Amino acid sequence: MNPVLDVRDLRVEFPTAAGALGVVDGVSFDVGPGETVALVGESGSGKSVSSLAVLGLLGRGRIAGGSVSFRGEEIAGAGPERLRRLRGAEIAMVFQNPMSALDPLFSVGDQVVEAIRVHRPVGRAQARERAVELLREVGLPDPERRMRSYPHELSGGQQQRVGVAMALACDPELLIADEPTTALDVTVEAQILALMRRLQREHGAALLLITHDMSVVARMADRVVVMYAGQVVERGTVAEVLSAPTHPYTRALIGSVPTVHTGRDELLTVIPGSVPNPADVPDGCRFHPRCPQAVERCRTEVPPVVRTGEGRISRCWLAEDAGRVPAPTGAPGTGAR
Ligand SMILES: Nc1ncnc2c1ncn2[C@@H]1O[C@H](COP(=O)(O)OP(=O)(O)O)[C@@H](O)[C@H]1O
Ligand SMILES: [Mg+2]
């Protein structure tokens, strides 16, 4: 089946005083109809920038190379009018902070009604009916009354339920959720993830889920794209990547899954060191200064992208040395679907 979203060799740059700074460097992945693909990596890996590039929301940044194809249509470099129609109606977004999607000055009902009417030629009464139905679908108790609530009167979990309702308002083909549960406590997180999984099945939407948490990947995704320092370092089905990771960074992420006991904020300290600044990426493999398995070659030579199985790739000299064949550049490598 043709992918809903097909990102190939994406490069994104931001202007700086010292010239253009590349923060996303040759990223490729795709998302099939009804499929959930996770982009995972520590903070600063380029996950958000990659997804914002899809929606044409880069601000001062720009797509410096590659392609973004949505249902076969090239949308990298699409005009502002096309991108406006795309956002909300065909591709919807759920953010980490639900308040970034909600306006504190308007009632929940007015905002959901507006989200429906912006893209649909329906009357007010009909949109209102649909809004109540959506709030019920996302599990808000007493939706008729909730329509009149203001965002600040809701808990964080309830706000995110409204965020999900607004994202689903126009039955998008693709939902992009950027750390949708990172701001919530673990119990509420589990509820919101279960809700998203159920609604995605019912609506048949493709889901691009961004997270730093491998346990979220394990619970939610069909395939996973592991990002480090603006590049994809490993990609494959969740079942295969989690049971037999081929990149040391993937192994480190799996080993640093936060538990209820350790608390989620400890994740960043579990892998020693930090993601390099894009202006100062290490020579050779970008992960080598933090890699427990790095050998001399890793410090000086850029590792090739190696095909490690059906639909799987790894950007690591160890995978190459294991006798695997280099993958063609920019190939989606998704034969697993
Ligand atoms: N508007 C911007 N201008 C300059 N650099 C940016 C901008 N937004 C993000 N970056 C840089 O791009 C890199 C990737 O950021 P981001 O995609 O937000 O990471 P992630 O979502 O994986 O945490 C980071 O080094 C970040 O500092
Ligand atoms: Mg981010």
Side-chain angles (χ1 to χ4, degrees):
M1 231 187 300
N2 290 329
V4 174
L5 178 69
D6 195 354
V7 173
R8 296 264 181 113
D9 216 11
L10 178 69
R11 290 191 297 116
V12 176
E13 291 176 353
F14 285 98
T16 70
L21 179 68
V23 304
V24 167
D25 181 20
V27 163
S28 301
F29 63 88
D30 60 20
V31 190
E35 188 185 33
T36 298
V37 172
L39 283 188
V40 70
E42 291 163 289
S43 181
S45 300
K47 308 180 298 294
S48 293
V49 168
S50 298
S51 69
L52 292 172
V54 167
L55 294 163
L57 291 174
L58 287 173
R60 277 158 47 75
R62 68 177 196 105
I63 295 179
S67 77
V68 178
S69 155
F70 176 67
R71 298 163 68 193
E73 173 192 352
E74 179 58 51
I75 57 169
E81 197 40 52
R82 175 69 190 117
L83 287 170
R84 236 191 320 275
R85 271 189 297 121
L86 207 62
R87 292 195 291 263
E90 294 162 74
I91 305 178
M93 188 123 191
V94 178
F95 296 94
Q96 174 172 339
N97 178 359
M99 284 306 287
S100 60
L102 296 172
D103 189 324
L105 300 180
F106 291 91
S107 72
V108 163
D110 283 347
Q111 295 185 59
V112 181
V113 166
E114 180 65 14
I116 295 167
R117 295 193 69 191
V118 162
H119 297 286
R120 290 275 165 93
V122 295
R124 229 192 131 71
Q126 205 187 338
R128 198 181 175 283
E129 224 168 88
R130 174 79 184 121
V132 173
E133 199 181 293
L134 277 166
L135 293 185
R136 183 170 293 119
E137 245 192 284
V138 297
L140 274 188
D142 200 357
E144 288 280 359
R145 196 167 64 86
R146 277 298 169 221
M147 290 283 283
R148 293 189 296 275
S149 299
Y150 284 81
H152 74 267
E153 299 175 291
L154 306 180
S155 68
Q158 288 173 334
Q159 288 170 357
Q160 195 57 297
R161 286 177 194 269
V162 176
V164 172
M166 285 175 64
L168 292 175
C170 290
D171 265 316
E173 200 111 357
L174 174 67
L175 191 61
I176 300 180
D178 190 348
E179 309 257 12
T181 58
T182 301
L184 306 172
D185 73 53
V186 278
T187 320
V188 181
E189 166 171 67
Q191 293 167 2
I192 297 288
L193 291 178
L195 170 73
M196 290 185 56
R197 208 167 37 211
R198 175 170 65 77
L199 292 179
Q200 184 210 5
R201 281 200 194 116
E202 287 169 11
H203 290 247
L207 174 61
L208 179 63
L209 177 66
I210 296 174
T211 178
H212 62 275
D213 184 344
M214 275 293 189
S215 74
V216 171
V217 174
R219 277 182 277 172
M220 296 288 288
D222 303 303
R223 286 188 297 138
V224 59
V225 179
V226 183
M227 286 191 65
Y228 187 75
Q231 298 180 326
V232 174
V233 296
E234 181 158 10
R235 191 176 54 210
T237 65
V238 169
E240 288 181 343
V241 170
L242 293 197
S243 64
T246 61
H247 197 288
Y249 182 61
T250 311
R251 274 196 286 278
L253 278 183
I254 293 170
S256 67
V257 165
T259 67
V260 179
H261 307 291
T262 62
R264 49 191 22 206
D265 293 336
E266 273 179 45
L267 173 67
L268 294 175
T269 60
V270 173
I271 308 174
S274 56
V275 178
N277 184 307
D280 194 20
V281 291
D283 288 337
C285 171
R286 293 182 177 191
F287 186 57
H288 89 255
R290 305 173 71 193
C291 182
Q293 286 162 279
V295 295
E296 191 46 42
R297 185 184 210 181
C298 307
R299 291 178 241 284
T300 52
E301 291 178 63
V302 175
V305 176
V306 176
R307 199 180 287 280
T308 53
E310 180 73 17
R312 289 194 68 182
I313 59 148
S314 183
R315 191 187 285 271
C316 177
W317 280 118
L318 297 174
E320 158 84 2
D321 292 344
R324 270 84 173 229
V325 257
T329 344
T334 51
R337 235 187 20 254

